[in-house]
Amino acid sequence: MSGFVEPIVGRYVHVEIDGEINRIYFEENGTGIPLVCLHTAGSDARQWRHLLVDEEFTRQFRIITFDMPWHGKSNPPDSQYGNEYRLTTATYTATIRAFCSALRLDRPVVMGCSIGGRIVLNLAISHASEFRALIGLEAADFQQPWYDTAWLNRPDVHGGEVCAALVSGLIAPNGPVVARDETLWGYKQGGPGIFKGDLYFYRVDGDLRGRVGQIDVRQCPLYLLTGEYDFSCTPEDTLRTAASIPGARAKIMERLGHFPMSENPAQFRAYIAPVLQDILNRQNT
Amino acid sequence: MNPDAGSTDRQSVPFDNQVVEAFRTIPELLSRDEKLISRGRLLDVECLLGPTVQPFHVTIQGGRILDMTPAPVLMRSWRFAYRATPAAFRAYWQAMPPPGRHDLLALTKRGEATLEGDLHPFMAHLQYFKDLLALPRRSGLLGAS
């Protein structure tokens, strides 16, 4: 309907990360338990727009999502223009903690997808007490690379086209066409070298093999959900990771791939609803 | 479990005439897809594509297939080759392909396809080649999944 205004509100918050103020764009809707959502590598927070307008979830959760620095409407830090972007475990962790602190969120739930799912595991290892629950989508301690990231940023290949074409295969077949197109559009709009820089964390700096056994889910519950069509972070990768974390809950999602929240929001809803309900139940007991 | 998994060696893969015949329909299917041709409008390349048991030399100009000839052709060169086992193409062309066999690079990750040569034209037109090699899926030549 022309004229319909969505309830999502977008604003900027100034966040100090690694000694520098970053102007971070975030969107939110709802009231209740803060639920911070982290986008995938090379894309931005628009991936969560369907969750943000879910009438049932937003009655119980204050759902917040933000564009990482260098992504979407969050510019690079002023001092970093011209430098090669490389996301590290330390900076990624610091960014999430600083964002939550800047908004004065009280033990939020954090849900991340892909690189966001990997960093959720690091939050569970190192900062569990700061969070109410952690949800990793398409998350594993490590996964086998399947292409050379040098193709993502070179002058003789269109970066947006190649990024989108690479990840297109991570979307489950026969989902909603518009949702697929929109998911890929996010990749076509990324800044030069940003997807590649995010994957530095994913492939090089963020290998958590041998460390996830330290996670204590009694301190902070951990949920892992992976789409059956994700051949980057495969169901086997997630199940292997979950098997090494006593008490972690893992679920393989049918007819979904690497971008569950944006590639097929209705299908994803069926899987995330029980997780959010479980978090609410724990809150009330 | 696919008995061909992990091997694209021509000698060890059984010939699948149905898959080869389905592959032969690609030029005709492409000729009816102006949108896909348009996506490849800047693509001129000689490449080797198809089932491991019977690959084809494919000449593409401006996104159109001008020629597709079964290999081997004496001393014909190519810039890149994408070859997958017949079982991999059979799975890839299902209306609802199974997980791990729904994408060209999922197949290479599984070892059911190989990508060789100068990859620049393939990577610069990656979605074009994904959609090109998926065309037999539309015609349902291999039956329902």
Side-chain angles (χ1 to χ4, degrees):
Chain A
M1 182 184 72
S2 178
F4 173 72
V5 177
E6 296 184 15
I8 298 172
V9 174
R11 303 173 75 181
Y12 287 89
V13 58
H14 290 205
V15 182
E16 185 173 331
I17 304 164
D18 294 341
E20 184 167 4
I21 290 293
N22 283 251
R23 189 166 165 266
I24 300 290
Y25 178 73
F26 70 103
E27 295 181 342
E28 67 171 301
N29 185 32
T31 55
I33 297 172
L35 168 59
V36 177
C37 301
L38 310 174
H39 60 75
T40 63
S43 189
D44 60 58
R46 285 174 293 177
Q47 291 178 323
W48 296 101
R49 73 177 181 88
H50 300 281
L51 195 78
L52 277 166
V53 295
D54 189 290
E55 289 185 11
E56 185 182 335
F57 298 156
T58 52
R59 276 200 292 270
Q60 306 283 355
F61 291 90
R62 178 188 175 193
I63 305 179
I64 307 164
T65 183
F66 68 97
D67 292 340
M68 287 276 290
W70 304 78
H71 299 70
K73 294 169 80 170
S74 296
N75 288 337
D78 289 348
S79 69
Q80 294 300 309
Y81 283 99
N83 293 343
E84 182 182 1
Y85 168 69
R86 271 186 170 183
L87 184 65
T88 63
T89 308
T91 295
Y92 198 3
T93 302
T95 299
I96 297 161
R97 297 178 71 212
F99 175 79
C100 294
S101 174
L103 288 188
R104 296 179 177 81
L105 304 180
D106 176 27
R107 290 186 68 233
V109 177
V110 175
M111 171 160 59
C113 186
S114 184
I115 60 166
R118 177 75 62 78
I119 202 65
V120 152
L121 295 174
N122 193 58
L123 296 177
I125 292 169
S126 303
H127 305 285
S129 64
E130 297 174 23
F131 303 100
R132 199 172 305 241
L134 293 163
I135 306 168
L137 308 178
E138 320 309 317
D141 53 3
F142 175 79
Q143 57 247 32
Q144 206 60 41
W146 50 282
Y147 65 92
D148 180 356
T149 59
W151 287 104
L152 300 178
N153 186 29
R154 48 187 280 174
D156 58 348
V157 176
H158 189 290
E161 294 281 11
V162 75
C163 290
L166 276 163
V167 303
S168 70
L170 299 177
I171 295 174
N174 299 331
V177 173
V178 171
R180 172 191 168 89
D181 288 344
E182 188 175 304
T183 299
L184 297 180
W185 186 250
Y187 278 83
K188 292 176 181 176
Q189 290 191 305
I194 300 310
F195 187 27
K196 182 184 176 194
D198 282 338
L199 294 180
Y200 177 78
F201 158 71
Y202 211 34
R203 291 193 179 182
V204 181
D205 191 60
D207 185 343
L208 296 178
R209 284 177 293 184
R211 294 189 59 211
V212 291
Q214 301 168 35
I215 294 173
D216 181 0
V217 300
R218 291 168 301 182
Q219 203 171 9
C220 177
L222 176 66
Y223 307 85
L224 301 177
L225 298 92
T226 290
E228 62 174 343
Y229 278 92
D230 188 346
F231 71 87
S232 179
C233 175
T234 65
E236 292 76 17
D237 290 325
T238 296
L239 294 174
R240 180 199 67 237
T241 302
S244 61
I245 308 169
R249 299 186 187 190
K251 184 83 176 171
I252 304 307
M253 301 183 285
E254 294 180 359
R255 293 194 294 116
L256 288 168
H258 193 72
F259 311 94
M261 62 288 184
S262 65
E263 69 174 70
N264 194 336
Q267 180 74 353
F268 174 60
R269 192 186 190 286
Y271 287 99
I272 201 61
V275 171
L276 297 180
Q277 186 59 53
D278 194 57
I279 292 168
L280 285 171
N281 293 345
R282 287 168 183 267
Q283 174 84 3
N284 297 329
T285 55
Chain B
M1 179 68 189
N2 165 26
D4 299 330
S7 172
T8 55
D9 180 349
R10 272 183 84 158
Q11 302 306 316
S12 65
V13 177
F15 199 89
D16 185 332
N17 198 51
Q18 213 177 9
V19 166
V20 174
E21 289 308 308
F23 201 89
R24 285 184 199 274
T25 67
I26 287 178
E28 167 62 19
L29 293 169
L30 174 66
S31 70
R32 289 189 252 133
D33 191 335
E34 285 301 325
K35 207 169 172 181
L36 184 52
I37 291 169
S38 171
R39 193 180 300 146
R41 65 196 178 280
L42 300 179
L43 174 63
D44 299 328
V45 70
E46 299 267 354
C47 51
L48 187 69
L49 305 173
T52 44
V53 293
Q54 179 53 79
F56 294 83
H57 288 279
V58 182
T59 303
I60 300 173
Q61 276 187 20
R64 297 177 188 275
I65 293 180
L66 297 192
D67 181 61
M68 194 168 97
T69 303
V73 176
L74 193 63
M75 299 189 77
R76 174 84 64 94
S77 58
W78 40 263
R79 272 187 81 184
F80 78 90
Y82 183 93
R83 285 171 282 190
T85 64
F89 273 118
R90 189 172 274 279
Y92 184 62
W93 289 335
Q94 288 182 21
M96 186 65 178
R101 294 191 174 91
H102 62 289
D103 181 75
L104 297 186
L105 297 179
L107 294 174
T108 58
K109 188 181 182 188
R110 294 176 72 94
E112 296 180 24
T114 55
L115 184 56
E116 300 158 276
D118 172 10
L119 303 191
H120 184 268
F122 179 79
M123 293 301 290
H125 298 86
L126 181 56
Q127 195 62 55
Y128 172 88
F129 282 106
K130 286 187 175 188
D131 293 346
L132 179 75
L133 296 185
L135 283 172
R137 187 182 295 159
R138 285 186 201 165
S139 56
L141 286 175
L142 299 180
S145 55

